[in-house]
Amino acid sequence: TAGTIDQLGKAVPNQATLSQIIEICRSWESSGVLNRRHDGDGTLLATYIKTLVCGDVKEEQPLNIGELPSLERCTKAYLALLNNSQLENTDRRLGQDMRHKLRGRVFGTTPSGYMGVFPAAAQIGDHICVVLGSSAPLLLRPTGQKDHYGLVGECYISGLMEGEGLLGPLPSLWQFGEVDSNDNRSFIWDGKKSTRTLEDPRLGTL
């Protein structure tokens, strides 16, 4: 388990408009769910923005995944939305992403400072689990029987989407590379020489 939910904001309805989503984001910020340091890399605002779009920013995705906005651009667009400013055509993707990612979901945090987007049915005390074979962390709820849990759904947790819950962060100078035709993710070493491999450098010698 990667922890439990200890704070939840207001859930986003399934048919929410962008303006309604922005109002709910304002309520998340004012309710105190952001008043803590995140354990992962980056500033609190950067982690929050990545969470709102479930990591769909250039810095978080493989190099060949397609055209994605940068984290800086998403941050500027989000702050513009909060200030009721009109977005330029090139920044409207943020609004589309927020509608797609946040409808029927809710923002929450863990005691250790992780931020996440969870199913709207999430409750405080639900367990966040990194499970082998699942591409995303799962939210589990104790059933009342010993060692029995019910599945609430998948969730996005900034800092836990790339196996960090099991393997830890990538070693220094390593980064995620491209995804090949078989959906295998490569790794790139940016030291004195350029090295690409399909072997996760966190595994070591098997």
Side-chain angles (χ1 to χ4, degrees), residues 26 29 33-34 45-46 79 87 101 121 139 143 149 157 202:
R26 286 195 182 100
E29 294 193 30
V33 293
L34 295 182
L45 178 60
L79 294 176
L87 291 180
K101 304 290 187 182
L139 196 63
T143 64
Y149 296 84
I157 309 292
R202 294 171 293 184

Side-chain angles (χ1 to χ4, degrees), residues 121-170:
Q123 297 177 6
I124 290 175
D126 286 348
H127 292 249
I128 301 161
C129 297
V130 177
V131 180
L132 290 174
S134 175
S135 60
L138 300 179
L139 196 63
L140 304 181
R141 181 173 300 156
T143 64
Q145 291 181 271
K146 184 179 179 181
D147 298 328
H148 283 68
Y149 296 84
L151 175 65
V152 181
E154 291 185 346
C155 46
Y156 173 89
I157 309 292
S158 181
L160 289 178
M161 301 305 294
E162 300 293 349
E164 296 96 333
L166 296 172
L167 302 175
L170 281 178

Side-chain angles (χ1 to χ4, degrees), residues 18 22-23 25-26 29 34 43-46 48-49 52-53 70-88 91 94-95 98:
L18 180 58
I22 291 300
E23 284 304 312
C25 288
R26 286 195 182 100
E29 294 193 30
L34 295 182
T43 66
L44 191 67
L45 178 60
Y48 179 57
I49 298 299
L52 293 183
V53 295
S70 68
L71 178 58
E72 180 182 11
R73 188 165 202 127
C74 283
T75 301
K76 289 179 179 178
Y78 174 72
L79 294 176
L81 285 171
L82 285 185
N83 293 324
N84 297 312
S85 300
Q86 191 71 24
L87 291 180
E88 298 178 13
D91 291 326
L94 176 70
M98 290 177 67

Side-chain angles (χ1 to χ4, degrees), residues 91-112:
D91 291 326
R92 288 180 181 171
R93 175 165 179 165
L94 176 70
Q96 296 171 353
D97 281 351
M98 290 177 67
R99 284 193 294 266
H100 176 66
K101 304 290 187 182
L102 297 180
R103 282 173 170 171
R105 312 283 275 177
V106 62
F107 175 84
T109 61
T110 73
S112 59

